[in-house]
Amino acid sequence: MDKPRKHIRFEPDENTFVLAKGDSGITHSGICVDESQSGCAGVFKKHNDLIPKKMIMVKVGQLDVISAEIRWAKILDEGIVKVGFQYLE
């Protein structure tokens, strides 16, 4: 049986962007596809910064910048990845 989620997922406002900055210094821009109190998921162009267990800084829509851990990454197509972030603060 699936473990219940700690926080309810909700659909982000239309055209909500996720900006993610890893240790390469590059800021990656993606589209947010779901949100919760403890994290979010977004779709990005594939890059070595966007792999599980990496610490990264994210800015989601109008929220302030927050540190996060990449919890998972799923390749959707050649060069496109869906990434799940868990907020750390």
Side-chain angles (χ1 to χ4, degrees):
M1 185 177 347
D2 289 336
K3 205 165 105 176
R5 295 186 184 273
K6 285 185 178 180
H7 299 102
I8 296 171
R9 296 268 185 233
F10 56 91
E11 191 171 318
D13 293 337
E14 191 171 325
N15 297 320
T16 297
F17 285 91
V18 180
L19 301 176
K21 187 172 186 176
D23 53 14
S24 72
I26 297 171
T27 300
H28 307 280
S29 179
I31 299 290
C32 188
V33 293
D34 76 29
E35 291 185 84
S36 78
Q37 179 182 339
S38 61
C40 71
V43 178
F44 297 84
K45 183 176 178 185
K46 189 176 173 188
H47 190 277
N48 291 341
D49 273 348
L50 303 174
I51 59 173
K53 298 186 180 178
K54 283 197 87 164
M55 299 303 161
I56 200 155
M57 300 301 291
V58 294
K59 179 168 180 26
V60 182
Q62 300 299 315
L63 300 176
D64 290 335
V65 174
I66 190 167
S67 59
E69 178 183 0
I70 297 175
R71 298 293 295 179
W72 53 267
K74 179 180 179 183
I75 296 172
L76 300 178
D77 197 5
E78 186 178 326
I80 303 293
V81 64
K82 184 176 178 183
V83 179
F85 301 97
Q86 180 178 9
Y87 304 143
L88 299 176
E89 296 178 1

